[in-house]
Amino acid sequence: MDYVNLRRQAASLRKGLFDQGYLDEQFYQLEDLQDDASPNFVEEVVTLFFRDSARLMANIDQALDKCVKDFNKLDVYMQQLKGSCTSIGASRMKTECTAFRECCRDENIEGSHSLSILNLCMRSFQKIKREHSVLRQKLESYFQLLRQAGPVECATRPNK
Amino acid sequence: MASGRVVKALVVDDKYLIRKIYGTMLVRLGFEVTEAEDGEVAVNYFVEGNEYDLVLMDKEMKVMNGVEAIRTLKTMGVKEKMVAITSDESCNEAFLEAGVDAFLTKPVKFAELTSVLKTFDLLN
């Protein structure tokens, strides 16, 4: 198996994740914490993130499906999701979470209609789901390549 | 800080993901780490007689939030260093009134955590 080529593919995929804004500086923090004592730390944390975020998104989905107009509740769920995104550097997801929270806050503007705000929230949430799905796909591919390529000496940051 | 002594940290956050990240940072810095999923669990650890050199405390937790937990611990006479982990500065005033010793803003960077712990003389 061509391990060099696999590592090159992994590095390219990783660089793309940063260049396209899917990941930010916080992901470097996770990589810097990976060492011989915790050789799979980054993948473990990312796995936890997707498990956590899937649960939170299911809660939000359920609330939106029931046309729940408790925008404070929706905002709380989204705050938690945004917090998780921030912790692993899921930058594009974080941005969409912020946009969703802005929609929830619009509910407090005089003259705004709950139903139209709900529709805005639903559209915003679809964007979050898309970003979540794409990020998951890309990171799963990345870690699969890393596993196939075998262990490397140390994590390195792409040249800026 | 005497070299060789085990320094103990309590990480309080309702998200396992966050506890894992901060816990790993603290282990890297030489701490023995205990986790608590909310403020009430953290308070109970102290009530049971456990001792820690450092507490990292999140704000929003279901059973007992971080501000309430710090206030309770201070009332109990806990003197160890308490660091609040906040999303933004709007949370700081409540934590200050509760008696927190320092703040870190999410996402916590390893260098920032190290810097705060140096000011507390908690690093060997």
Side-chain angles (χ1 to χ4, degrees), chain B residues 94-112:
Chain B
F95 268 121
L96 265 175
E97 285 174 9
V100 79
D101 296 293
F103 300 95
L104 285 166
T105 307
K106 294 176 183 176
V108 175
K109 297 201 172 14
F110 186 73
E112 291 166 354

Side-chain angles (χ1 to χ4, degrees), chain A residues 41 44-45 47-49 51-52 55 84 87, chain B residues 11-24 35-38 58:
Chain A
F41 176 74
E44 286 167 8
V45 166
T47 301
L48 281 171
F49 166 72
R51 192 179 305 163
D52 193 43
R55 179 185 55 82
S84 290
S87 67
Chain B
V11 177
V12 191
D13 195 298
D14 57 350
K15 285 201 164 39
Y16 177 56
L17 166 67
I18 305 297
R19 296 197 307 267
K20 186 174 175 75
I21 294 172
Y22 297 160
T24 302
E35 299 178 15
E37 64 266 30
D38 64 61
D58 184 33

Side-chain angles (χ1 to χ4, degrees), chain B residues 16-80:
Chain B
Y16 177 56
L17 166 67
I18 305 297
R19 296 197 307 267
K20 186 174 175 75
I21 294 172
Y22 297 160
T24 302
M25 287 184 180
L26 288 166
V27 165
R28 176 71 66 87
L29 290 167
F31 283 80
E32 185 179 288
V33 177
T34 302
E35 299 178 15
E37 64 266 30
D38 64 61
E40 187 175 84
V41 172
V43 167
N44 285 340
Y45 281 159
F46 280 92
V47 168
E48 288 163 7
N50 294 295
E51 291 178 349
Y52 305 96
D53 301 279
L54 170 75
V55 178
L56 288 192
M57 184 76 74
D58 184 33
K59 181 171 184 274
E60 299 296 340
M61 292 176 285
K62 282 181 186 153
V63 179
M64 181 189 283
N65 68 45
V67 172
E68 199 181 333
I70 287 182
R71 197 177 290 131
T72 304
L73 291 171
K74 288 293 182 184
T75 304
M76 285 166 57
V78 172
K79 303 247 185 296
E80 283 70 14

